[in-house]
């Protein structure tokens, strides 16, 4: 997921990180220091200390403590002096990157942290305290890349270990965290009224200029009446500059209310200051308009927000911004779907954007130099009630007269394409739309990182002969973290059935699957299963070393992975609960594998695995689980044997943007294999956070549904799988604590991902895990949508 900063990269990593800009000021501020440090590093940097730390981590997981201490002592002895020099050369955290000029600092800081972990395991708390304090106070700017997909700061994790384990810890000097905090206000946000809101909605652009070369890479809008257009669009919208004469702007500027970096304003509750800051700065114009529009949207000025988003499409469709991951991001593409989202959510506005698309040829790799923008701005127009009725009639006729042109699978499960090019799944001859759930309930205190994670299909803590989570879970209705008399065991399977879930997504390794349990899930609860093989993701199935990662050109590893696939299909192909097969889990991000560096080799191997499945089983389709649409063009060229394009994607509350059209260009059906939103926001109470989580899911599900067969959309959506059923507390390293760490910036309610808070259900304070379930607001939303 992380990309090298020295190369220009494309923003289709975990998500289109709409709110990610806040970290870039830090990155830009430290860039010169990074270059300087790189050039001036001593020869000792040529000896890479990473190998010592990789081996130490591996030995720690095996509890080979003597070996761990030997490896880390060697790292400290060889590189400690240089690490200290790198620490003193910094005044803040350098930009996070996998190949860093500060690798020596990072490794030495981690070495002390690992030693602290060893001494804790051995019960030597004073020694552990000593090591953690060295990591905090002497190497406080060290960071470490987790192959799960992000960096973590060593000092932060060392402090947590001290607080949680060493009760005798006295006050310590803490490293200042330079992470940019969202701008917050103590008072309630004001209502917002613009002094110059514009005279038209929607704006008649044809009156003020000309659209040239529509639908080509030569597109441009030529303004002929700038004064008239400015008056029509209003303040904050290009080309109008009346914001500088707005009395509110003048007052805020005079009082110093607009001082500071613009990225500090993005996630602020003070949308008034946010708007005037963004509308008045000299930022890249498309990016400036995007965040101006977002401030207007938060303020509830939806007409003005729509006009501002659409202005990007008209004037700056080739605009480029930058994400948390130091990758390019294209506000013009996103703006189209933000407009559509707002029109859909606010029918009272009675407007619709028709025909708009920004297609980027060559846009599925990580290099913007080969991008060609084909722009059709479409038209934002008043929505005719009759045209809506006509569209519904046409859709109904298409559905009634649909003829199948292509079919994949057997009689029980079949994937079909109709003559109108729409796609649909059929189960027993009836349309089947995936209302899915990623289901892997994890007990508090367990983690795959330390080998303590157990198989949820076999756990029976209360010794009643039933799997705990599937059958013994109960709902903590009043959230008092204890089981009251009226809170009887229901089990997750029943709770998911009552929510409307019809599919779960799981993998056949690293733990064996319980056929009897999956059969009961199908027969009693009506829920089918998508079974996947990781195909070397996280090195599962390939036998590769974790830090070296799976090599998709390695024949020995290929054989192991194909044997794993063969085993999966042979064991489950005749089970009636199988919906289809799934290959991988966002392997293309290169987490513990080389698919990012050599995507051609990876997708060729995916095709080989899919071909094997088709040889073994003619009854079920085969899907890939990609990371968003990164390398979609290479996939389309290399994987004819893959029937369905699945992808994990987190793009925002508006849905998935142009993903449907992009995939339709390659004539493939698609299902969203993973999407979701945390139920946590810094500085907000649980009620607000859970409300925002539900809103996010609603926008995503509406988009998934609106692109199904015979809909107004692309017609290639097969459904989606929510991530996830239950909060997992191990994601930020200490599985006994529900961490509120910011894992990475992204398009979420407060601009950050909190990996431990993605559940449709929470586990309360953890004391009644794995049984207690606190159903969040999003549960009720899906219940209404899925059980209609």
């Amino acid at each position: 997921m992380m990309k090298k900063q020295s190369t220009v990269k494309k923003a289709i990593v975990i998500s289109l990180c709409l709110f990610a800009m806040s970290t870039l000021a830090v990155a830009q501020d430290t860039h010169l220091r990074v270059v300087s440090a790189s050039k001036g590093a001593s020869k000792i940097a040529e000896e890479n200390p990473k190998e010592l730390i990789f081996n130490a981590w591996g030995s720690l997981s095996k509890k080979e403590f003597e070996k761990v201490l030997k490896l880390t002592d060697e790292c400290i002895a060889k590189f400690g002096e240089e690490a200290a020099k790198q620490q003193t050369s910094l005044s803040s955290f350098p930009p996070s990157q996998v190949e860093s000029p500060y690798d020596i600092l990072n490794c030495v800081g981690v070495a002390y942290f690992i030693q602290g972990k060893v001494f804790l395991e051995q019960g030597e708390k004073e020694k552990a305290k000593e090591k953690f304090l060295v990591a905090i106070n002497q190497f406080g700017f060290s960071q470490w890349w987790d192959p799960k997909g992000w960096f973590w700061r060593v000092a932060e994790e060392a402090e947590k270990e001290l607080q949680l384990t060493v009760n005798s810890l006295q006050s310590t000097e803490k490293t200042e965290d330079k992470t940019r905090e969202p701008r917050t206000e103590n008072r309630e946000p004001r209502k917002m009224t613009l002094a110059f809101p514009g005279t038209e909605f929607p704006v008649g652009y044809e009156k003020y200029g000309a659209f040239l070369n529509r639908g080509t890479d030569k597109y441009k809008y030529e303004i002929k009446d700038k004064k008239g257009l400015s008056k029509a669009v209003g303040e904050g919208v290009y080309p109008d500059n009346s914001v500088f004469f707005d009395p509110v702007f003048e007052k805020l500027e005079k009082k110093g209310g607009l001082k500071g970096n613009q990225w500090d304003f993005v996630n602020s509750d003070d949308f008034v200051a946010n708007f005037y800051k963004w509308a008045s700065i000299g930022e890249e114009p498309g990016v400036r308009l995007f965040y101006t529009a977002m401030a207007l949207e938060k303020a509830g000025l939806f007409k003005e927000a729509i006009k501002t988003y659409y202005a990007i499409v008209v004037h700056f469709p080739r605009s480029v911004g930058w994400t948390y991951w130091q990758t390019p991001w294209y506000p013009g593409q996103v703006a189209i779907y933000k407009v559509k989202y707002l029109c859909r959510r606010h029918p009272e506005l009675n407007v619709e954007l028709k025909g708009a698309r920004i297609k980027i040829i060559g846009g599925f790799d990580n290099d913007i130099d080969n991008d060609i923008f084909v722009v059709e701005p479409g038209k934002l127009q008043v929505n005719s009630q009759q045209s809506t009725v006509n569209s519904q009639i046409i859709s109904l006729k298409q559905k009634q007269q649909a003829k199948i042109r292509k079919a994949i699978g057997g009689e029980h499960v079949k994937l079909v394409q109709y003559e109108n090019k729409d796609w649909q799944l059929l189960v027993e001859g009836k349309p089947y739309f995936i209302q899915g759930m990623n289901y892997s309930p994890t007990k508090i205190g367990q983690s795959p990182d330390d080998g303590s994670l157990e198989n949820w299909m076999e756990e029976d803590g209360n010794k009643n002969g039933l799997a705990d989570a599937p059958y013994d879970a109960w709902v903590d209705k009043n959230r008092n973290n204890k089981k009251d008399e009226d809170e009887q065991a229901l089990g997750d399977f029943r709770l998911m059935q009552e929510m409307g879930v019809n599919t779960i997504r799981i993998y056949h390794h690293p733990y064996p699957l319980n056929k009897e349990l999956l059969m009961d899930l199908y027969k009693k609860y009506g829920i089918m299963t998508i079974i996947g093989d990781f195909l070397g993701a996280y090195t599962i199935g390939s036998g590769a070393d974790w830090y070296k990662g799976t090599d998709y050109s390695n024949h020995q590893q290929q054989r192991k992975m194909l044997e794993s696939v063969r085993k999966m299909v042979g064991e489950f192909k005749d089970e009636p609960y199988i919906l289809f097969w799934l290959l991988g889990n966002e392997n293309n991000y290169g987490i513990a594998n080389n698919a990012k560096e050599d995507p051609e080799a990876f997708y060729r191997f995916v095709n080989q695995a899919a071909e094997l499945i088709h040889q073994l089983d003619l009854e079920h389709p085969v899907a890939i689980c990609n990371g968003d649409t990164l390398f979609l063009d290479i996939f389309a060229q290399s994987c004819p044997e893959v029937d369905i394009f699945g992808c994990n994607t987190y793009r925002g509350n508006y849905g998935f943007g142009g993903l449907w059209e992009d995939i339709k260009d390659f004539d493939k059906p698609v299902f969203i294999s993973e999407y979701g939103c945390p139920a946590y926001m810094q500085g907000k109470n649980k009620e607000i956070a859970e409300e925002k989580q539900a809103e996010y899911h609603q926008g995503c599900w509406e988009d998934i549904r609106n692109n199904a067969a015979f809909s107004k959309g692309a017609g290639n959506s097969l459904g989606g799988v929510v991530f996830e059923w239950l909060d997992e507390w191990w994601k930020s390293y200490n599985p006994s604590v529900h961490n509120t760490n910011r894992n990475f910036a992204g398009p979420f309610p407060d601009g950050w991902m909190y990996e431990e808070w993605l559940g449709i259900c929470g586990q309360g304070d953890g004391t009644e895990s794995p049984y207690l379930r606190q159903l969040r607001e999003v549960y009720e939303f899906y219940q209404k949508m899925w059980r209609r």
Side-chain angles (χ1 to χ4, degrees):
M1 286 185 281
M2 181 60 67
K3 313 291 191 256
K4 294 181 184 178
Q5 284 184 308
S6 58
T7 57
V8 184
K9 298 294 184 181
K10 178 118 172 90
I12 315 178
V13 192
I14 275 186
S15 58
L16 293 174
C17 296
L18 307 187
F19 309 118
M21 313 301 181
S22 58
T23 60
L24 296 182
V26 175
Q28 293 165 357
D29 184 52
T30 56
H31 177 68
L32 294 178
R33 288 199 298 274
V34 172
V35 174
S36 175
S38 180
K39 290 181 178 179
S42 70
K43 292 183 179 179
I44 201 168
E46 296 175 6
E47 300 178 53
N48 192 346
K50 282 186 173 182
E51 197 68 30
L52 291 169
I53 299 302
F54 291 161
N55 290 334
W57 278 120
S59 298
L60 181 63
S61 66
K62 299 174 185 176
K63 298 188 183 300
E64 299 172 346
F65 298 140
E66 186 176 342
K67 185 176 180 181
V68 173
L69 292 175
K70 181 178 179 181
L71 290 164
T72 50
D73 280 340
E74 182 179 351
C75 179
I76 292 167
K78 284 185 175 180
F79 305 105
E81 184 177 347
E82 179 65 21
K85 291 179 182 178
Q86 291 189 353
Q87 169 72 19
T88 56
S89 74
L90 294 168
S91 60
S92 65
F93 282 98
S96 301
Q97 48 190 327
V98 175
E99 295 182 10
S100 170
Y102 296 99
D103 276 344
I104 289 177
L105 168 61
N106 294 338
C107 287
V108 172
V110 170
Y112 279 107
F113 177 80
I114 292 174
Q115 289 189 344
K117 296 282 283 185
V118 168
F119 290 125
L120 277 182
E121 289 275 359
Q122 295 177 333
E124 299 184 57
K125 292 186 177 181
E126 285 302 318
K127 285 187 178 180
K129 172 185 171 181
E130 177 187 329
K131 299 299 181 181
F132 287 138
L133 287 174
V134 172
I136 293 167
N137 296 325
Q138 296 182 33
F139 303 100
F141 290 128
S142 58
Q143 304 173 89
W144 193 251
W145 167 251
D146 188 316
K148 290 198 287 284
W150 54 73
F151 275 89
W152 52 276
R153 293 176 175 180
V154 177
E156 289 181 3
E157 296 305 318
E159 286 187 1
K160 288 174 189 172
E161 294 289 351
L162 285 169
Q163 293 166 6
L164 290 167
T165 313
V166 187
N167 296 326
S168 60
L169 178 65
Q170 303 298 317
S171 59
T172 60
E173 180 185 352
K174 296 184 179 181
T175 304
E176 183 181 1
D177 185 355
K178 297 292 184 178
T179 301
R180 208 177 289 279
E181 294 284 341
R183 184 184 177 91
T184 58
E185 307 294 331
N186 293 325
R187 55 181 168 76
E188 289 294 317
R190 300 190 299 269
K191 289 186 177 180
M192 184 171 171
T193 303
L194 297 180
F196 312 108
T199 59
E200 292 184 22
F201 180 77
V203 176
Y205 277 96
E206 293 84 355
K207 295 185 293 185
Y208 308 107
F211 291 95
L212 306 178
N213 304 311
R214 301 177 76 129
T216 74
D217 61 340
K218 303 293 192 300
Y219 163 82
K220 68 174 292 188
Y221 176 74
E222 188 175 88
I223 299 175
K224 296 183 179 179
D225 180 3
K226 184 176 180 179
K227 184 176 181 180
L229 181 58
S230 296
K231 187 177 179 181
V233 296
E235 63 181 301
V237 187
Y238 183 85
D240 183 73
N241 64 358
S242 59
V243 67
F244 295 103
F245 306 101
D246 187 318
V248 177
F249 169 78
E250 294 176 343
K251 183 178 179 180
L252 281 170
E253 189 174 46
K254 187 175 181 180
K255 291 174 62 177
L258 300 181
K259 287 184 177 179
N261 189 286
Q262 64 267 29
W263 302 112
D264 293 339
F265 288 74
V266 170
N267 297 309
S268 167
D269 288 340
D270 189 351
F271 47 71
V272 176
N274 188 1
F275 167 76
Y276 288 105
K277 179 67 176 182
W278 274 96
S280 62
I281 61 168
E283 180 63 72
E284 199 281 337
V287 174
R288 178 182 65 79
L289 282 170
F290 188 90
Y291 286 96
T292 302
M294 201 164 74
L296 291 166
E297 181 183 347
K298 288 183 176 182
L301 300 180
F302 301 119
K303 287 184 179 180
E304 289 75 14
I306 288 172
K307 284 197 293 185
T308 311
Y309 282 128
Y310 189 55
I312 306 171
V313 182
V314 172
H315 299 289
F316 307 108
R318 300 172 182 84
S319 181
V320 179
W322 300 89
T323 74
Y324 173 91
W325 306 101
Q326 302 292 293
T327 59
W329 159 72
Y330 302 94
Q333 284 188 321
V334 181
I336 289 174
Y337 297 97
K338 289 291 281 186
V339 171
K340 291 185 175 184
Y341 166 74
L342 289 174
C343 292
R344 183 174 75 239
R345 295 300 299 275
H346 298 281
E348 71 276 6
L349 300 178
N350 199 35
V351 292
E352 184 177 9
L353 178 57
K354 291 189 174 182
R357 188 181 181 193
I358 299 173
K359 180 178 178 179
I360 305 177
I361 298 173
F364 300 113
D365 60 17
N366 290 319
D367 182 2
I368 65 170
D369 292 338
N370 63 1
D371 290 347
I372 300 173
F373 292 77
V374 177
V375 181
E376 171 49 67
K379 186 172 184 179
L380 185 63
Q381 62 187 41
V382 175
N383 191 20
S384 165
Q385 187 174 1
Q386 185 58 46
S387 68
T388 301
V389 172
N390 291 340
S391 177
Q392 292 172 345
I393 292 172
I394 292 170
S395 178
L396 181 60
K397 284 184 177 179
Q398 285 182 333
K399 191 172 183 179
Q400 292 171 340
Q401 300 171 4
K403 292 183 180 179
I404 295 174
R405 67 185 291 267
K406 184 178 182 180
I408 300 165
E411 292 303 313
H412 181 47
V413 177
K414 187 175 293 184
L415 172 66
V416 298
Q417 185 181 39
Y418 298 99
E419 288 183 340
N420 69 346
K421 298 297 183 72
D422 286 2
W423 290 90
Q424 195 171 57
L425 277 170
L426 303 178
V427 175
E428 296 296 334
K430 297 179 180 179
Y432 187 98
F433 200 70
I434 299 169
Q435 298 174 176
M437 186 64 61
N438 283 277
Y439 186 72
S440 56
T442 305
K443 185 178 179 180
I444 303 305
Q446 294 183 3
S447 170
D449 294 336
D450 60 12
S452 62
L453 184 65
E454 296 183 21
N455 186 350
W456 61 265
M457 288 187 167
E458 297 176 352
E459 285 187 292
D460 182 16
N462 57 8
K463 308 299 180 184
N464 66 351
L466 299 172
D468 290 336
Y471 297 109
D472 293 328
W474 49 270
V475 178
D476 180 19
K477 299 174 187 176
N478 57 9
R479 299 197 176 193
N480 65 352
N481 289 294
K482 66 179 181 179
K483 188 175 183 181
D484 299 317
E485 288 185 6
D486 62 338
E487 296 172 345
Q488 299 303 307
L490 296 172
D492 284 341
F493 286 179
R494 181 174 166 185
L495 288 171
M496 286 193 290
Q497 180 193 43
E498 291 180 353
M499 178 176 158
V501 173
N502 64 9
T503 311
I504 65 167
R505 170 191 166 207
I506 58 176
Y507 286 80
H508 78 110
H509 50 185
Y511 301 107
L513 298 180
N514 185 325
K515 284 187 172 185
E516 184 179 345
L517 186 147
L518 293 176
M519 183 65 80
D520 191 54
L521 176 66
Y522 172 65
K523 286 189 173 181
K524 186 174 180 179
Y525 300 95
I527 298 175
M528 300 188 74
T529 301
I530 297 169
I531 292 187
D533 186 286
F534 281 111
L535 214 67
Y538 325 114
T539 71
I540 298 175
S542 69
D545 175 78
W546 169 259
Y547 283 100
K548 292 180 180 178
T550 300
D551 180 355
Y552 290 102
S553 296
N554 184 300
H555 295 300
Q556 183 178 359
Q557 292 179 26
Q558 285 180 353
R559 284 195 297 272
K560 289 181 179 179
M561 289 184 283
L562 290 176
E563 185 55 38
S564 176
V565 170
R566 183 186 297 275
K567 179 182 177 183
M568 172 184 72
V569 177
E571 187 174 357
F572 292 99
K573 66 185 180 69
D574 296 323
E575 300 297 334
Y577 48 76
I578 299 298
L579 185 62
F580 54 75
W581 309 108
L582 188 65
L583 293 174
N585 184 54
E586 58 189 38
N587 305 46
N588 56 314
Y589 289 153
I591 302 171
N593 68 68
N594 70 341
K596 183 180 66 177
E597 286 74 28
D598 191 358
E600 289 85 0
F602 168 65
Y603 288 108
R604 284 196 303 269
F605 181 68
V606 170
N607 194 66
Q608 190 178 350
E611 187 176 27
L612 172 62
I613 292 176
H614 283 309
Q615 292 171 1
L616 299 171
D617 176 23
L618 299 175
E619 303 297 313
H620 299 93
V622 181
I624 190 175
C625 180
N626 211 60
D628 210 287
T629 54
L630 182 66
F631 305 131
L632 174 61
D633 49 351
I634 299 176
F635 159 81
Q637 183 178 9
S638 304
C639 296
E641 292 290 330
V642 177
D643 308 307
I644 301 168
F645 185 82
C647 56
N648 299 347
T649 179
Y650 298 78
R651 294 194 177 190
N653 64 353
Y654 65 95
F656 306 97
L659 177 146
W660 314 102
E661 289 86 356
D662 288 340
I663 298 168
K664 189 172 184 176
D665 286 343
F666 298 106
D667 198 27
K668 290 283 185 181
V670 58
F671 86 107
I672 306 300
S673 46
E674 183 178 308
Y675 69 99
C677 176
Y680 179 84
M681 298 172 65
Q682 284 199 1
K684 302 295 183 185
N685 61 37
K686 287 185 177 181
E687 289 74 17
I688 292 175
E690 291 182 16
E691 178 185 341
K692 293 297 182 182
Q693 181 193 38
E695 289 178 3
Y696 186 107
H697 275 271
Q698 181 176 351
C700 290
W701 181 253
E702 287 175 351
D703 194 40
I704 290 170
R705 190 74 249 188
N706 289 341
N707 284 280
F710 312 112
S711 66
K712 291 177 65 176
N716 59 349
S717 170
L718 303 180
V721 186
V722 171
F723 194 88
E724 58 184 325
W725 175 248
L726 190 66
D727 286 346
E728 296 181 276
W729 288 25
W730 62 270
K731 292 293 183 69
S732 292
Y733 312 109
N734 192 320
S736 298
V737 176
H738 204 185
N739 282 301
T740 56
N741 292 8
R742 294 166 167 178
N743 297 117
F744 50 86
F748 306 107
D750 73 349
W752 293 91
M753 167 60 93
Y754 304 94
E755 280 267 73
E756 295 193 358
W757 293 82
L758 287 165
I760 301 300
C761 310
Q763 299 202 58
D765 64 6
T767 56
E768 292 293 331
S769 180
Y771 307 106
L772 180 146
R773 302 287 181 264
Q774 291 181 352
L775 303 183
R776 293 181 171 136
E777 185 175 333
V778 67
Y779 179 93
E780 186 177 350
F781 159 73
Y782 277 116
Q783 194 172 49
K784 291 177 180 177
M785 296 297 295
W786 287 358
R787 291 184 63 85
R788 282 179 177 176

